[in-house]
Structures are given as C-alpha cells and as structure tokens.
Amino acid sequence: MLGKLKTGEKGRIMNIASADKFVRRRLLDLGIAEGSEVCVKCILPFGGPVMVESCGQCIGIRRKEALRIEVERV
Amino acid sequence: MMNIALIGNPNTGKTSLFNNLTGSYEYVGNWSGVTVEKKVGIFKNGKDQLIDLPGVYTLNPLSKDEGVVTNFFLNEPFEKLLNILDASQLRRNLHLTLQLLEYGAPVIIGLNMLDVAKNRGIQIDIAKLSESLGVNVAPVVARSGKGCDELAELVTAGAVGTGKNNLVYYGKAIEAGILELENKLAGKIKHPVRWLALQLFEGNPYVKNYLETILPIEEIEKLINSVTVDQQQNADSKQALDQVIHRKRSEAIDKIVSAATTKQENKKVPLTEKVDMVVTNKFLGIPIFLVLMYVMFMLTFDWLGFPLSDALDSFLSGPLTSGITAALAAAGASTFIKDLILDGIVAGVGGVLVFVPQIFILFFFISLLEDSGYMARVALVMDRLMESVGLNGKAFIPMMIGFGCNVPGIMAARTIETPKERLMTILLTPLMSCSARLPVYALFVGAFFVEQKAAVVLSLYVLGVVIALILAKVFSKTLLKGETSVFVIELPPYRLPQARALWRSTWDKGKGFVKKAGTFIFAGSVLIWLLAYAGPEGVNVSMDDSYLALLGGIFAPLFAPIGFGTWQASASLFTGFLAKEAIISTMNIIYFVPDEASLQGLLAAHYTPLAAYSFMAFILLYIPCLATVATIYKETGSRRWTAFSIAYALVIAYVLSLVIYQGGRLLGLT
Amino acid sequence: MIANILIGGAIFGYAGWAFYRFIKKSKEGKCAACSIQSSCSSNCSVSQEKKIK
Ligand SMILES: Nc1nc2c(ncn2[C@@H]2O[C@H](COP(=O)(O)OP(=O)(O)OP(=O)(O)O)[C@@H](O)[C@H]2O)c(=O)[nH]1
Ligand SMILES: [Mg+2]
C-alpha cells in the first residue's frame, strides 16, 4: 500500500481501482496510473496527507486514499 | 478579427504568456487554478483577440473552473487554439493536446518552461515533436518573454493546420461506437463527431448534456452501454471506458515523447525538495506558517509600515493641508467650501490614504506567497485540520487569497471539486480579514495596543480563521451534510519570484485601494460630511444634532452591551457595508481631527482597550462588503445562501463581541 | 462667489458620479481593491453555466 511506505521509499503502482473515483481521476490527470513509479517525499503528522513524487511532479493526497492504492516496493 | 483561445494544463504559464502577448496584467501565481474564468485581451497588433482560459488536464471537467473551458468549447466561437505545454511535464500535457487535435480546430503549440526542462536534463527535439503531431510548435519562455514575439506572429498570421486527428486508435469497440454516433448525428451538428463521441465515452457530463439536446437520452445511454460491453468482451477485462481511452492515449504519447526527447539523469537533489523538507516538515509545518505570518504583521504594522504611515500622515496633515488652505484662501472660497474640503474630503480620503504603505506591504507578502509556490504547501499542511471540520486543504487557498480581498477569494473557490465544500468555502471566505479592514486595526492598535501591535492584529486574523473552522464544523454537521470530501493537490516546484513580476502583482492589487480612495471614499466622505454638517435644525449644526448623529443614535443602544454604544460607532458601521475602508474615513470626519495621531488620542476617550478589541472583532466579522455579497450571489446563484451569509455573519459578530466584552469585564479587564 | 460655485459644483458632481459608479460596479461583484479589478470587465462565463445546470 502506498500509505505504508516510509519517507524516501519508492514503489510502483499496481492497482488504484479501490481508490475513490474522484481521486483516481485526478491521479490519472496528473499522470499517475498503474505502472508509474512513485516516491514518498514526506508524511504529515496526525494522519495528515502524504506527498509523493512521480516523474518530477509532486502531489499531495490523503493518507486514507494512499492506503487504498496498491504499490510494489522497488 | 480572430478569436484565439489559450488552453493548457494548469500552472503551465498560460496567463504569463497572455500578459506578454496582450500587454495586460492578469493574475499569475505558482499553483494550479489561478485563473478561474475566461479573460479576453487584444493582441499587440490591435486586431485579434486572445482568450485566456482556466487550466485543465482534460476536457472532461471535475470542477467548476474546468467546466468553463468545456463550455467554451461547446458554445463559443473561436478560430484558433494556442495550446501551451509545460516542457518539463510533456507526457501529462499531451493528453490534452490529443483531445484538442481530435477536436480538429487549427492548433499551434507553445512549448513553455523550457528553462525548467533544461535544468532537469530534458532535451526536446522540437522539429520531431512538431512532425509527429502535425502542427507548429514554437518554443517560448513566458516568464522572460523569450520567443513571445515569434509566437505572436505565428499565431496571428494566416491559416494554420489542424494537425493529425487520428493519432490514437482506440480499439475496435470504441471506433465502432464513434462510427455509430456519426451515423446518428450526420449533418445535425457543427462539432466534430469523433471528439464528441470520445468525450461522451469518457463520461464528460457537459458533452452528454449537449448531445441530449439533439438525440433522445435513451439512445445515448444505449450507445454507451453497448460500447462498454463490447469493449469489455473484446479486451476481456473489467476496465471502464475512460480508463481504456486514457491508456490508449498514454501509449500513443509514450511513442511521441520517447522519439522527441532525451533525458540525462542528473543526480543533484533539486533545491525545491530541500525547501520542502523544511516547510512541510512533520512538526514544523504549521509553526513555520504562523511565524511567517507573524513576521509579515510585524513588518506591516511595526517595523516598516508604521513609520512610513506616520511620515505620510504628517505630510498630509502638515504641508498638504496648509497648502490647500492657502490655495482656497487665494481663490476666495467660502467657509462652507473650506470646511467641505478640509474637514470632509481631506479628513476622509487622507484618513484612508495614510494606510497605503501598510496595505502595499501586506500585498507584497501575499504576492510573494502566491508566486513562490508556498500556497499549495500551506494547503497540504492544513489539510488534516481542514478535514476534521469537513473541508479539504484546498479550501485554504481561497481563504488566503481572501486576506487580500474577499472577492477573488470567493472566485477561487471554483477549483474545489465537491459542491458542498465549495459552497462552504464561499460562505466562510468573507470571515477572512481583507486588506480593507486593515486600516481599522492599524488605527486602533496604534491607539490602544502600542506594545503588541503585531500580536494583536495576528490574533484577529487567527480569530477569523478559527471562527471559520468552527462554523465549517457546524455547517457540515447541520446544513450541509453528506458527500465525502476528497483532496488531491498538485505541488508545483518552488520558483524564485522575479522582482518585476512581484512588483506588478503588488501594484495591481494595491492600485485598486488607491483608486477606491479617489472615487468611492471621496464621494462617501462628501456625503458623510454633509450628513454631519446638516441636521433637522438647519445647517452647520453641532455634530451631535446632525442627521448622522440622529441616524447612528437609533442603533447605538444595540451596541451598548458589546462596548461601543455611541452614535459615532454605529454610523461608521453603516458605511462599512459599502466598503470597509469607509469606516475609517467616517470616523475621521466624525471625530473631526487634523491627523491620525490626534484621532488616536481622541479615541482613547471614547473606547476602553477592551471595547476597542471588541470593536475590531466586530468589524472583522460583521458583514461582507457589498462587492463580496454580490460575488457570493453570482457564484452560488442563490438568494437564500446570499442572505444567509449576511445573517450568520451579523449573529456571529454580535455574539463574539458580547463574549469578548462581557467576558473580559467579568475577568476584570477594561 | 463664482469660484465657490465652481469648486462646489465640481466636488458634488464628481462625488455623485463616483458614488453611482461604485455602487453599480459593486453590485456586479467587482471590487475596486482587489486583484481582479481590471479584468472584471470581461464577460464572465458564469451566466452561461447556469443554463447547463
Ligand atoms: N521557470 C519558468 N516559470 C514560468 C514560465 N512561465 C510561467 N512561469 C511561472 O509559472 C507560474 C504559473 O504561471 P501562470 O501564468 O499563472 O500559469 P497558468 O497556466 O495561467 O495557471 P492557471 O491559471 O492556474 O491554469 C508562475 O509562477 C510563473 O511565473 C517559464 O517559462 N519558466
Ligand atoms: Mg492562468
């Protein structure tokens, strides 16, 4: 799960089907789909959002959505 | 004359280019969703029109500002498209380009941010890119203006190709669906059917609405269903149509991009990531934000702004006043005219102008915030807090903009995707303390809280935010239940703001304030002075017998429990509905003093420090100004919500001031 | 005397005009002290959007 990665860890997205449909659309818009490589840049406290990077583009999403995105560590 | 539309992903520099090509100044900032409505400008050649649109990732909209673009495509005439691409994010940007090519209008591509791409080690072969898309590609750097003239020439000169509209093959099922729609629509519409069909299959609600005006709904639904079923059978997968279309486009883009770009790895950690490690740090994020705000207020009210205002004040009340007096005497003006000018206009307009330095300093910081890329980070840092009250971090951006002026803040709420959160943001943004309220604080902290000026003002701003958050919680539990909230935000790289852009942006915001002083505040001062000059018993009466006193006196008892039951206070609150600065000019005229310093001395006789704080809190919350009310109406399209926004603000302001004043007295404060 | 009438007329005339203009602009949701002030004159697409909804 993307939400389980620690700061600085990298992963490849395997499945985003279980994420919210809005979130999925936005991620697609931002060029993040199955197969993209992502890197967790920072995690905000108290269950706050995570900041991930993909192809030089940083985005922020909520932890609970990140927990619904399957990744494979690389 | 031609209409040329600027279109591209958010934050790719469309508005920067628009400003360069038309010589105008529109709102530029380093986050996604700066432009939220259509803007029209004239090319420097004086003939053709350039139309700036909000940024979109695809033509299938999620939020209101994106809807503006789809709407434009469906309903408005244009001759050419100028598609701006961010060279450092080519893959993502080309998704939109493919849709534009499917639309089949003449397109020219402006390849922007080449400097950024170069820093990342990305080399783009422009000729190859142009060849594989079949359209002209022109390199530009919108920020510095490099290449803009060439681009302008290219765009405004004669005919332009429409590019290749069949770059992507979407598979048997979808292609068959396109053909079927083509048969159904044959000759009935002016838009290209391939584009309409693909948008329909992707689930674009605007296109669906549009098609429903031509075809029966059932037929459309049936078509979508049959294509979905065919597709899933053919591919033997459960993927929805929009995902299939997206994947097909990605594949085509991969080919184009890998042929046209080369990338050298550079291992250097970009500066922006280092900065991010600090400002979005686990523990430091929110404290850093508050410290930055505190420094901003120290500079505005204490270190820099205060002495500047003082100097301006002594100029206005000294040389300027005596100059005017002398000139009037030479012209042989009567006492009426002399009083009108000196006690009315100079006092009223001057009283507001005195705060110009402070307003400019505040605007400078807001511009800095907007241009650096910190704005989106603040949204990220605030998201956890906002989530707990039923909003999302993005709602903080309109609120921050609201610190400058509530009107663009409310407009900025268009970028919020869910209608419920958008409505809440619109309703709550007026609680953000806009720059027009700043003179009131400056005056009162100067009179009552000399030692802790910045801290007291900061407390008011924070008060506004805290009340907004509490109300958000209340609203989302009562009036606006339901709907999950979502949050995905693009974090742009930090950009070092350019001095020139910063100045333009500060000036553009600040000049409105000066202009308003010269027009509305001028007129208001004349009116207020007249009302204070005349009374039921005739003209030139003592101020306490004037119409103004009469009017203010009616409501004064209402305000007694919250610490300021004078007719002066209620009279100035009235004018504040039209524009918040008017409160200051009204006070200046009523208290009838030559300069700011003596007004502050006089205020000490009418207010206690506790009453002063209560008054400031009341001003902060009591009512959105006329322009804000009109914008709320325009954006919500609902009389009820507009009335609600006024009513709840009045109630909250009264209750809060009551708590502050009576509570403070119970605690033994004065 | 003439100077008085001239100055007074100019002031009241200008004030009336400025007041009228301001109220008219404000009612359209335009704010003189805000960053979108100059661009407000362009026809916003809001009215159109209402049709769709
Ligand atoms: N380095 C660099 N920065 C640029 C360039 N062009 C624009 N920018 C910066 O990019 C940011 C975004 O510019 P805007 O013109 O507001 O972008 P936009 O496309 O209008 O954005 P939206 O209205 O949100 O869609 C600003 O901070 C600009 O200063 C460029 O060529 N190079
Ligand atoms: Mg823009």
Side-chain angles (χ1 to χ4, degrees):
Chain A
M1 296 293 134
L2 179 56
K4 293 264 167 61
L5 295 184
K6 297 205 180 60
T7 307
E9 285 184 328
K10 283 197 177 133
R12 174 170 295 113
I13 302 211
M14 303 304 290
N15 187 358
I16 51 172
S18 49
D20 180 89
K21 76 173 196 305
F22 261 116
V23 175
R24 210 169 52 212
R25 237 308 290 284
R26 271 285 178 256
L27 288 177
L28 273 190
D29 286 347
L30 291 162
I32 297 181
E34 273 120 13
S36 340
E37 207 173 280
V38 293
C39 171
V40 174
K41 284 291 164 195
C42 74
I43 303 174
L44 284 120
F46 309 116
V50 290
M51 179 169 155
V52 296
E53 185 244 47
S54 163
C55 304
Q57 163 74 60
C58 287
I59 57 149
I61 57 171
R62 288 200 170 143
R63 189 97 46 97
K64 76 166 191 274
E65 296 299 338
L67 283 169
R68 293 157 82 175
I69 297 173
E70 279 174 40
V71 294
E72 151 196 272
R73 272 207 185 86
V74 291
Chain B
M1 194 197 76
M2 271 188 301
N3 287 310
I4 299 165
L6 256 175
I7 182 162
N9 278 199
N11 210 32
T12 50
K14 294 179 297 301
T15 307
S16 308
L17 188 74
F18 177 84
N19 290 341
N20 252 317
L21 293 182
T22 61
S24 52
Y25 184 82
E26 289 297 339
Y27 200 10
V28 171
N30 189 15
W31 78 92
S32 299
V34 182
T35 311
V36 292
E37 58 179 341
K38 180 183 120 190
K39 298 284 162 80
V40 183
I42 306 278
F43 267 98
K44 281 180 182 154
N45 73 7
K47 279 210 316 271
D48 304 318
Q49 282 196 340
L50 189 62
I51 301 161
D52 189 19
L53 293 167
V56 288
Y57 300 104
T58 83
L59 291 174
N60 179 7
L62 272 187
S63 57
K64 189 102 174 174
D65 59 326
E66 296 176 329
V68 171
V69 178
T70 314
N71 236 328
F72 177 83
F73 259 74
L74 287 172
N75 302 321
E76 281 174 60
F78 59 90
E79 275 78 38
K80 283 180 198 167
L81 292 170
L82 178 49
N83 181 204
I84 304 302
L85 301 186
D86 176 347
S88 65
Q89 293 289 341
L90 214 47
R91 277 198 170 76
R92 155 156 83 80
N93 280 252
L94 282 171
H95 273 275
L96 180 65
T97 307
L98 286 184
Q99 296 178 40
L100 299 181
L101 292 177
E102 279 158 7
Y103 188 84
V107 183
I108 289 165
I109 289 179
L111 196 57
N112 195 24
M113 306 260 181
L114 281 165
D115 50 334
V116 184
K118 208 165 124 206
N119 280 341
R120 293 214 186 130
I122 304 170
Q123 288 286 342
I124 299 179
D125 183 341
I126 291 176
K128 243 203 197 117
L129 186 64
S130 163
E131 190 199 297
S132 49
L133 295 171
V135 294
N136 273 325
V137 178
V140 277
V141 178
R143 205 149 124 105
S144 63
K146 209 172 115 195
C148 285
D149 292 337
E150 289 85 345
L151 182 63
E153 234 163 78
L154 198 65
V155 179
T156 50
V160 172
T162 56
K164 303 181 181 168
N165 70 351
N166 53 356
L167 279 168
V168 192
Y169 176 74
Y170 291 96
K172 240 203 215 128
I174 295 178
E175 295 288 344
I178 297 172
L179 275 181
E180 196 179 333
L181 190 70
E182 224 154 70
N183 290 337
K184 283 191 207 297
L185 288 174
K188 284 194 203 150
I189 43 160
K190 57 182 197 300
H191 297 292
V193 180
R194 187 179 173 81
W195 178 79
L196 284 173
L198 286 165
Q199 292 295 323
L200 180 70
F201 298 154
E202 269 190 281
N204 187 332
Y206 286 65
V207 168
K208 198 166 170 209
N209 264 326
Y210 172 78
L211 285 174
E212 278 167 12
T213 61
I214 302 163
L215 292 176
I217 298 183
E218 309 81 57
E219 233 174 282
I220 298 173
E221 299 282 0
K222 219 178 91 205
L223 178 64
I224 299 175
N225 280 338
S226 74
V227 173
T228 313
V229 172
D230 283 357
Q231 168 64 35
Q232 291 182 343
Q233 266 171 6
N234 286 358
D236 196 21
S237 85
K238 279 246 161 317
Q239 271 191 327
L241 280 185
D242 58 334
Q243 280 171 306
V244 178
I245 292 177
H246 188 271
R247 208 190 56 232
K248 293 283 179 193
R249 284 192 189 132
S250 296
E251 283 163 9
I253 289 169
D254 266 339
K255 273 201 213 102
I256 297 172
V257 173
S258 35
T261 60
T262 48
K263 188 167 177 350
Q264 302 139 0
E265 279 306 320
N266 53 353
K267 284 271 172 268
K268 228 171 46 198
V269 181
L271 179 66
T272 142
E273 289 189 12
K274 283 188 211 150
V275 178
D276 265 337
M277 278 197 251
V278 182
V279 300
T280 57
N281 181 282
K282 256 185 174 11
F283 307 104
L284 295 177
I286 292 184
I288 286 181
F289 176 63
L290 287 176
V291 167
L292 283 179
M293 296 291 276
Y294 183 72
V295 170
M296 171 170 126
F297 288 125
M298 275 313 265
L299 273 168
T300 312
F301 291 95
D302 212 334
W303 298 332
L304 186 61
F306 189 67
L308 283 176
S309 284
D310 248 13
L312 192 57
D313 187 29
S314 36
F315 168 74
L316 289 178
S317 58
L320 188 77
T321 308
S322 43
I324 293 177
T325 317
L328 287 176
S334 64
T335 35
F336 173 80
I337 294 288
K338 236 163 68 191
D339 285 351
L340 169 63
I341 291 182
L342 290 178
D343 304 341
I345 296 166
V346 174
V349 177
V352 169
L353 281 184
V354 164
F355 298 102
V356 163
Q358 282 162 325
I359 299 270
F360 269 79
I361 296 172
L362 184 78
F363 280 149
F364 174 81
F365 278 103
I366 293 181
S367 303
L368 197 64
L369 221 61
E370 289 173 352
D371 229 23
S372 60
Y374 188 52
M375 205 71 137
R377 267 76 181 182
V378 177
L380 185 75
V381 168
M382 289 293 168
D383 180 63
R384 185 66 195 83
L385 189 63
M386 302 292 269
E387 186 187 7
S388 63
V389 300
L391 282 170
N392 75 58
K394 262 193 194 171
F396 210 73
I397 293 178
M399 294 188 179
M400 300 265 288
I401 297 173
F403 285 151
C405 171
N406 291 167
V407 172
I410 289 170
M411 305 282 295
R414 286 185 177 191
T415 57
I416 294 170
E417 289 94 350
T418 54
K420 175 200 113 180
E421 285 174 279
R422 173 159 178 254
L423 179 60
M424 278 221 280
T425 311
I426 290 175
L427 291 177
L428 295 173
T429 299
L431 300 182
M432 300 301 116
S433 183
C434 69
S435 60
R437 285 168 239 192
L438 186 147
V440 182
Y441 308 151
L443 183 72
F444 276 78
V445 293
F448 296 99
F449 307 100
V450 183
E451 295 301 315
Q452 317 84 11
K453 286 196 207 86
V456 169
V457 177
L458 180 63
S459 78
L460 284 162
Y461 277 72
V462 172
L463 185 69
V465 175
V466 169
I467 298 283
L469 292 183
I470 293 173
L471 284 177
K473 182 84 192 170
V474 174
F475 290 169
S476 61
K477 280 267 175 288
T478 53
L479 292 170
L480 294 158
K481 275 188 280 207
E483 249 188 279
T484 49
S485 104
V486 291
F487 175 69
V488 179
I489 194 166
E490 192 185 339
L491 299 159
Y494 286 103
R495 299 208 167 93
L496 195 65
Q498 295 166 301
R500 200 176 62 107
L502 214 52
W503 163 244
R504 272 309 301 262
S505 159
T506 307
W507 169 244
D508 197 63
K509 295 188 179 87
K511 81 171 182 226
F513 185 83
V514 178
K515 213 169 118 192
K516 194 150 86 176
T519 54
F520 171 68
I521 297 298
F522 182 99
S525 300
V526 170
L527 183 71
I528 294 292
W529 179 83
L530 268 182
L531 285 175
Y533 183 77
E537 274 124 61
V539 292
N540 206 358
V541 292
S542 131
M543 187 98 63
D544 287 325
D545 301 321
S546 66
Y547 285 121
L548 196 60
L550 216 66
L551 221 69
I554 302 174
F555 294 91
L558 265 180
F559 297 119
I562 55 177
F564 39 92
T566 58
W567 69 261
Q568 287 96 333
S570 30
S572 47
L573 287 175
F574 267 110
T575 55
F577 171 60
L578 295 176
K580 300 270 158 116
E581 304 95 309
I583 295 172
I584 285 298
S585 43
T586 310
M587 288 195 145
N588 255 13
I589 295 169
I590 293 175
Y591 289 117
F592 188 58
V593 282
D595 58 17
E596 193 200 330
S598 35
L599 176 57
Q600 288 173 338
L602 202 73
L603 282 177
H606 285 77
Y607 292 80
T608 63
L610 185 62
Y613 195 83
S614 164
F615 187 69
M616 286 192 286
F618 194 78
I619 299 279
L620 165 70
L621 304 170
Y622 81 112
I623 205 167
C625 73
L626 182 59
T628 307
V629 170
T631 310
I632 293 176
Y633 178 60
K634 234 173 66 176
E635 291 293 294
T636 58
S638 147
R639 257 177 239 281
R640 267 186 42 225
W641 284 119
T642 312
F644 177 74
S645 73
I646 298 175
Y648 93 79
L650 271 172
V651 172
I652 291 291
Y654 196 86
V655 170
L656 192 80
S657 292
L658 194 68
V659 170
I660 290 175
Y661 188 65
Q662 298 298 348
R665 289 225 310 200
L666 282 180
L667 292 177
L669 302 172
T670 52
Chain C
M1 193 57 210
I2 291 183
N4 280 323
I5 293 173
L6 275 181
I7 298 174
I11 288 176
F12 286 111
Y14 174 72
W17 174 82
F19 204 84
Y20 169 75
R21 277 279 311 257
F22 176 82
I23 300 286
K24 208 177 89 184
K25 279 192 104 180
S26 287
K27 275 204 192 137
E28 286 164 30
K30 295 170 186 174
C31 174
C34 82
S35 45
I36 56 165
Q37 167 277 114
S38 53
S39 41
C40 265
S41 54
S42 67
N43 40 349
C44 304
S45 30
V46 179
S47 52
Q48 285 219 346
E49 259 171 88
K50 272 190 210 134
K51 274 194 301 203
I52 287 254
K53 275 269 153 114

